[in-house]
Amino acid sequence: MYQRILDIRDQSRFVPEKALTQLQALQAKAEQEPPATRAELINQLSVAHLRTGQLDAAMADTEQLISFGRAQHDDAMLAKGLLAKSYVLFEKAEASAAYQLAFEAEKLANKSSDLALRSQAQVTVGQAYAEQGDFPTALSKIQQALDTAREATSDPVMLFGALNALTKLYTQMKEYDKADLTLQEMLELAGQLHSPGRMAAAKTTEYVLAVEIGQYKRAIQAQQLALDLMRKLGSERGVGMALGNLSDAYLKLHDYARAAQYANESLRSTQKSGDRSMESTARANLAQAYLAMGRIAEGKQQYEQALSRYEQENNKPLLQAILREYGEALERVGDTAGAVSAYHRERTISDQLFERRRQQAVLELQEKYETEKKQRQIELLSRDNQLKGTELDNKRLQQRVWWLLALVTALGALIVGMLYRRVRHANAQLEVKNLELKAQSVRDPLTALYNRRHFQDFMRALPHGDARESDLVGALFLLDVDHFKHINDSYGHAAGDAVLKMLAEHLRVALRETDMIVRWGGEEFLAYLPAVSRHGIDDVARRILRSIAAQKVEYQGHSITVQVSVGYAPYPLAPDGTPLPWERVVNLVDMALYLAKAHGRHRAYGLRGFANFEHTTLEAIEQDLERAWRAGFVDLSVVLGDAPDAVPPSPNEANNVVHIKHAHKNSHGT
C-alpha cells in the first residue's frame, strides 16, 4: 500500500486530478494500514488538493496530518504535516506564516532518520531564504539538502528535487557555470527516472538558465519540449507554466504579437488549474506585450493585477525585477509619471534588500569573530593547564631533588618565553586578518571602488558644511549606464561586467584622486567631490559624459559603445538656509538623473538651487522634480552629451550647457 501511494506521487505533482481519484479510492483500505502509510496517504491528498486549486481541502488535510503526528508522538510525521501546511499557506500568499512553519518543520525533520524528508525540508527552507533575498544562507541549506539526498539512495526523486533547487539558485546568483554543471546531472537523473513530468521540470529549469545567459534559441527549444511533455501528461498546471515561459522568451526577442498569444493561452490555462502565482506571471508578460503594441490601458491593468499577487507573496527579489520591467516599459511608451512611480517602488524594495544583506554580512562576520575568539580561549586554557601541570611536577621534584631546581626554573622560563612569542605572533596575524576584512567590507569586489556601506559611514561622519554662498563647494554626481539591460540581453552578463569595470577605470581618470567614487548598486555609480568651483560643476558633468562616451568595450569580437546619464548637485544644499541631510540631496540627484533618462539619455541634469521657496515645500519638490522645475521652484542645468544620438543644442546653448528657469505664476495667474 505504501509503495502504491509513492507511485502516485508524480501524478500528484503533475496530473493532480487523476492522482486525487486514485488516492480517494485507497482511503477506505488505508484505515487498516500502519500509521506511516496512513500519514503518507494524507500527505499526498494534500498535494493533490493543492495542485487542483482546492486550498480549503488541502488545508484540512494538513491539519489532519499534524494532529495525527502529534497523537503518534512522531516527529517525522509532524514535520510532513507542517511542510504540507507551509505549501498551502504560500499558495494563499501568506508568505511569512509559510516560512515560519518551514523552519519549524526542518528542526523536527533533522531529528528523524528519514533522509528523504530531511532533504525536502532543507530544500524548502533554502528556497524560503532565497525568496527573501538571503542567498548565502539559501545556498548553505540547499547544498546540505543535496548531501542528504545523495545519502537517501532509496528515493532518487528527492535527489532530483535538490539538484533542481540548486540549479535555480546558482542561476539567481549568476553562477552560470555551476548552474550548468548541476543541470547536466539533473537531466541525466531525469532520464533514469523515466518520468515525463520530471524531464519537463528539468527542461523548464534549463529554459530559465538559457534565458539568463542570453541563449534564447536553446531556451525556446527546452521549453517547447517541456510543453509537449506536459500536454501528453494532461497537466494543465504544467502547460500554463510552459506557455508563460514561452511568452517571456518571445518578449525578450521583441516578438510582441507571439508573446501576447502565448501569454493569453497561459492565462486561460492557469485560471483552469488555479495556479495563482503562474497566473500573475502570465499577466505580467501580457502587460509587457500590450504596452509594446500600444495598448497602454490594458497593459497597465494587467501589470497592476500581477503586482498585487507578488506583493501578497512578499517575494521581494521577484517583485523588484517586475517593477523594474514595468518602469522601463512605461518609459518606452512615454508614460513618464507612471515610470517614475514604478521606479520609486522598485528603489524602496532595493534598499530593503540591501539593508537585509548588510545586516546578514555583519552577523556572519560577528559570528566568525566569536568562533575564532572561543577557539583562541580554548587554546590559551589548554596551554595554561599544561603550565599548571608543569608547576606541580616542579614542586614534587623540588622536594626530592633540590639540585635540579635551577635547571627546572630555566626550562620553565624558556617555555613561557616561547609561549609569549607564539601569542604575540598569533595576535599579529589576527591584526592582519582584521585589516584584510575591513578592506573587503568597504570595497566592491567587481570594480574595486568603494561600496555603498562605506559611503554611508563616510557621509554620517562628514559635517554638513557651510551653506552660505561661496565659490568652493562640494558636489554629488549619480551616474546610470544607458540601456544596460540591452547590453546584458544582447552580449551576456560577462559583457555587462566588462562595461562596469571600464566605467570604474575611466571615472578614476576623469575625476581627481581626492574625489570619492562609489559603486552605488547595479549599473549605478556615485561620486562625491569635496571641493570644486561652484561654476565648474557643469564642466565636471560634461567631462564625465565625454570621457565615458569616448570609450568602447571590446568583447568577443563586438565593439560596445557605452553612454551614461547623470544627475548632480552642489553639496550641501540649503533651500531655506538649513543644510539638507545628505540622504535627501542624493534623492534629489537621483530624481535629476531620472529626468536625464526620461528626456533622452546621454545627458546630465544638475540641480543648481531653489527659488520662490516660500511658495512650496521640499516634500512637494521631491514628489515631482520636473513639475517643480517647470513651476519655477528649481533651477536646473542641462549638459548634453556629444554622441551622435544626443539631441543637438540650439545656437544659444553655449558649450553644451543649458541653464533653465521657468517663470513662477503668482496667485492671479500672471
Side-chain angles (χ1 to χ4, degrees), residues 12-56:
S12 297
R13 179 178 177 83
F14 302 111
V15 198
E17 297 83 1
K18 294 180 181 178
L20 193 56
T21 302
Q22 296 180 53
L23 291 168
Q24 288 170 338
L26 296 176
Q27 278 183 293
K29 297 179 182 178
E31 292 298 325
Q32 309 303 319
E33 293 292 326
T37 303
R38 292 160 61 191
E40 187 58 33
L41 177 62
I42 300 170
N43 187 34
Q44 292 306 319
L45 278 169
S46 75
V47 175
H49 279 132
L50 175 63
R51 294 283 175 171
T52 54
Q54 301 178 55
L55 300 186
D56 291 339

Side-chain angles (χ1 to χ4, degrees), residues 9 46 50 140 171 193 201 312 316 339-340 402 406 441 445 455 461 467 501 539 547 588 603 617:
R9 183 169 52 181
S46 75
L50 175 63
S140 173
T171 303
L193 289 172
Q312 288 178 338
K316 293 191 186 309
V340 169
W402 286 97
S441 70
F455 178 78
K501 290 178 182 176
D539 294 332
S547 174
L588 288 167
R603 58 191 60 202
T617 64

Side-chain angles (χ1 to χ4, degrees), residues 250-355:
Y250 282 110
L251 278 175
K252 288 176 169 57
L253 292 172
H254 308 298
D255 188 344
Y256 300 116
R258 191 172 294 184
Q261 172 195 337
Y262 278 118
N264 270 312
E265 290 180 25
S266 176
L267 190 57
R268 288 192 292 271
S269 183
T270 53
Q271 286 172 337
K272 285 181 186 177
S273 66
D275 187 346
R276 297 181 182 178
S277 293
M278 197 61 219
E279 179 185 340
S280 299
T281 301
R283 289 189 185 280
N285 289 345
L286 186 58
Q288 281 202 62
Y290 279 166
L291 288 174
M293 295 163 70
R295 298 164 66 174
I296 309 301
E298 295 172 272
K300 292 177 74 172
Q301 180 185 9
Q302 293 292 341
Y303 250 127
E304 291 301 333
Q305 290 184 44
L307 287 170
S308 175
R309 175 66 187 178
Y310 291 132
E311 286 170 347
Q312 288 178 338
E313 291 180 357
N314 198 31
N315 188 337
K316 293 191 186 309
L318 181 57
L319 184 59
Q320 181 187 10
I322 295 297
L323 280 168
R324 178 176 284 270
E325 289 180 355
Y326 188 20
E328 291 173 351
L330 290 174
E331 181 188 347
R332 285 194 295 269
V333 298
D335 187 351
T336 305
V340 169
S341 175
Y343 172 77
H344 282 297
R345 289 162 71 183
E346 185 270 337
R347 178 52 55 89
T348 299
I349 293 172
S350 175
D351 289 343
Q352 291 173 355
L353 289 175
F354 172 79
E355 182 62 22

